[in-house]
């Protein structure tokens, strides 16, 4: 039973790290899109 709890906690950590990375990549792409779409020559 302890092994299942350990695996669940590890998988929860992996999913949280993946979601943080996806959030950071999405923010970076929005920033890049704003720079490309700016009117500054």
């Amino acid at each position: 039973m302890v092994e299942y709890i350990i695996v669940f906690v590890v998988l929860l950590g992996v999913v949280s790290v993946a979601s943080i990375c996806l959030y950071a990549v999405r923010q970076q792409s929005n920033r890049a899109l704003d720079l490309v779409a700016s009117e500054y020559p």
Side-chain angles (χ1 to χ4, degrees):
M1 191 65 190
V2 176
E3 296 92 2
Y4 290 114
I5 294 171
I6 292 171
V7 169
F8 178 72
V9 169
V10 168
L11 283 176
L12 198 63
V14 168
V15 167
S16 63
V17 167
S19 65
I20 289 171
C21 287
L22 279 174
Y23 175 74
V25 167
R26 192 172 295 133
Q27 291 293 103
Q28 194 67 24
S29 68
N30 285 343
R31 233 177 266 137
L33 198 63
D34 288 342
L35 279 175
V36 168
S38 69
E39 294 294 324
Y40 190 76

